[in-house]
């Protein structure tokens, strides 16, 4: 079984070496590392060239023009040849047994075609942020919901940095739609969830890097509220067959929820913003989950 890593880079020189070393230092080595750079000018390409010269398994694609995140990752995925494809971000750090643990998860869960893991949070210096995980930040109530049902009712919770999936020629042939708010990881997550083939691994298999300016460490209370809010969404919003009904349901939910961090006078603005954002996204999700098809 061949194992591929797909990673896109752009102006990632500051943290790239730590990530490359963590991928190359896995207890179970991968067979190829595909890196597609999208026009970096900060030394990223020079770092990658040095690694590729020392490690033939690293294959580089230097774009002549900036493609953007989604299109760059799409080409990166198509360049890989592995039976299992791991996605990687340029500024994270993999735990030494990430690959080994992921393959073990697939063996223990044969119905899974894609799995994403949890992660510790580190700051820009690499220091772990206490009492904080990636799933806390995104508000994923892992042990309270059914994953596929949560994807259907609430939102995508797949973070590409923790995602691995079995090679799927149909998926790789499809063009990832250019929809605001939907990146490649959300698209892949929705694709496998629609097949009932997506699973979550609560093990923290990598370190997800945040920047000090984001002040993530000071948002513990907000994270708890976000978990409660997402769970309320899951419990209060059924799978909708049309956008109008979905919007009305969201309005009732926002209006009736008591959310300490939301100003009452701005709730209608929040509803309108969420509804505008959700219109196209909802149509995509409806196509995937109600008709079990992937749209282009």
């Amino acid at each position: 079984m061949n194992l591929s890593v797909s990673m896109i880079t752009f102006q990632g020189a500051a943290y790239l070496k730590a990530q490359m070393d963590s991928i190359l230092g896995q207890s179970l080595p991968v067979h190829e590392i595909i890196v597609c750079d999208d026009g970096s000018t900060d030394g990223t390409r020079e770092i990658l060239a040095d690694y590729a010269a020392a490690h033939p398994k690293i294959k580089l694609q230097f774009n002549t023009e900036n493609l953007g995140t989604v299109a760059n990752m799409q080409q990166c995925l198509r360049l890989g040849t592995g039976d299992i494809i791991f996605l990687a971000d340029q500024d994270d750090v993999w735990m030494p047994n990430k690959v080994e643990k992921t393959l073990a998860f697939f063996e223990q869960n044969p119905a899974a075609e894609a799995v994403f893991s949890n992660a510790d949070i580190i700051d820009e210096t690499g220091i772990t942020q206490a009492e904080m995980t990636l799933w806390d930040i995104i508000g994923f109530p892992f042990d309270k919901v059914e994953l596929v049902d949560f994807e259907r009712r609430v939102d995508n919770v797949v973070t590409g940095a923790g995602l691995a999936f079995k090679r799927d020629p149909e998926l790789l042939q499809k063009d990832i739609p250019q929809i605001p708010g939907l990146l490649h990881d959300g698209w892949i997550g929705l694709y496998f969830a629609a097949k009932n083939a997506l699973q979550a691994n609560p093990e923290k298999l990598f370190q997800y890097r945040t920047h000090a300016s984001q002040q993530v460490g000071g948002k513990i209370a907000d994270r708890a509220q976000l978990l409660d809010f997402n769970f309320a969404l899951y419990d209060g919003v059924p799978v909708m067959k049309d956008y109008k009904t979905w919007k009305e349901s969201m309005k009732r939910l926002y209006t009736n929820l008591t959310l300490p961090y939301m100003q009452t006078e701005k709730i209608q603005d929040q509803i309108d913003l969420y509804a505008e954002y959700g219109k196209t996204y909802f149509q995509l999700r409806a196509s995937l989950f109600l008709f079990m098809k992937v749209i282009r």
Side-chain angles (χ1 to χ4, degrees):
M1 178 186 298
N2 287 337
L3 308 175
S4 294
V5 174
S6 294
M7 182 168 69
I8 58 176
T9 58
F10 180 68
Q11 307 293 62
Y15 309 114
L16 184 57
K17 290 182 180 180
Q19 174 67 307
M20 293 299 295
D21 289 343
S22 72
I23 296 173
L24 290 167
Q26 289 294 297
S27 59
L28 184 62
V30 299
H31 297 85
E32 63 179 8
I33 303 171
I34 312 296
V35 186
C36 295
D37 183 77
D38 211 19
S40 296
T41 58
D42 66 340
T44 293
R45 292 190 171 191
E46 289 76 10
I47 292 172
L48 290 172
D50 288 343
Y51 273 93
H55 303 277
K57 69 173 64 178
I58 298 175
K59 304 174 184 178
L60 305 179
Q61 169 70 35
F62 289 163
N63 299 339
T64 56
E65 61 181 22
N66 187 279
L67 300 180
T69 299
V70 173
N72 194 26
M73 177 54 80
Q74 182 166 272
Q75 77 159 349
C76 193
L77 291 173
R78 289 173 174 172
L79 289 172
T81 62
D83 302 298
I84 302 288
I85 300 171
F86 293 79
L87 271 62
D89 282 359
Q90 65 183 6
D91 53 0
D92 297 332
V93 178
W94 285 15
M95 303 307 291
N97 58 0
K98 182 180 190 293
V99 172
E100 184 177 357
K101 288 274 191 178
T102 300
L103 292 188
F105 186 93
F106 277 124
E107 291 177 1
Q108 295 162 9
N109 300 273
E113 296 180 25
V115 60
F116 63 100
S117 73
N118 203 352
D120 280 317
I121 303 299
I122 58 174
D123 65 13
E124 59 188 2
T125 66
I127 297 176
T128 301
Q129 304 300 288
E131 301 180 3
M132 186 180 302
T133 72
L134 176 60
W135 288 0
D136 291 331
I137 289 178
I138 64 176
F140 177 35
F142 167 71
D143 55 350
K144 299 179 181 179
V145 300
E146 292 292 333
L147 173 59
V148 172
D149 200 36
F150 187 84
E151 288 272 324
R152 180 165 46 217
R153 294 187 184 210
V154 183
D155 202 357
N156 171 69
V157 291
V158 176
T159 301
L163 177 65
F165 62 92
K166 296 178 181 178
R167 187 172 191 82
D168 187 310
E170 181 182 359
L171 171 66
L172 296 176
Q173 289 172 3
K174 291 184 178 296
D175 293 329
I176 303 174
Q178 299 289 328
I179 296 177
L182 181 68
L183 294 178
H184 53 274
D185 47 9
W187 169 248
I188 296 171
L190 289 169
Y191 175 87
F192 284 108
K195 297 173 64 178
N196 257 344
L198 175 69
Q199 294 193 26
N201 181 358
E203 292 183 284
K204 295 177 285 186
L205 299 184
F206 67 107
Q207 295 175 317
Y208 184 87
R209 192 185 301 273
T210 62
H211 300 284
S213 59
Q214 292 173 298
Q215 298 181 339
V216 177
K219 297 183 179 179
I220 294 177
D222 289 351
R223 291 188 295 110
Q225 292 164 358
L226 178 59
L227 283 166
D228 290 343
F229 178 61
N230 279 344
F231 187 63
L233 285 177
Y234 172 76
D235 192 49
V237 179
V239 180
M240 298 301 177
K241 294 186 178 181
D242 64 88
Y243 173 70
K244 180 180 178 181
T245 307
W246 175 82
K247 182 177 178 180
E248 290 173 352
S249 179
M250 288 300 303
K251 182 175 181 178
R252 288 195 301 272
L253 183 61
Y254 267 99
T255 303
N256 293 329
L257 277 177
T258 301
L259 302 172
Y261 57 95
M262 289 183 64
Q263 299 180 30
T264 304
E265 63 272 16
K266 293 186 177 180
I267 286 180
Q268 185 58 51
D269 292 339
Q270 181 67 23
I271 293 169
D272 293 339
L273 285 171
Y274 192 67
E276 182 62 30
Y277 158 77
K279 189 171 186 178
T280 303
Y281 192 47
F282 169 82
Q283 292 169 349
L284 170 69
R285 295 164 64 80
S287 296
L288 283 166
F289 287 103
L290 299 179
F291 306 109
M292 302 300 280
K293 295 178 181 179
V294 179
I295 63 173
R296 292 186 181 272

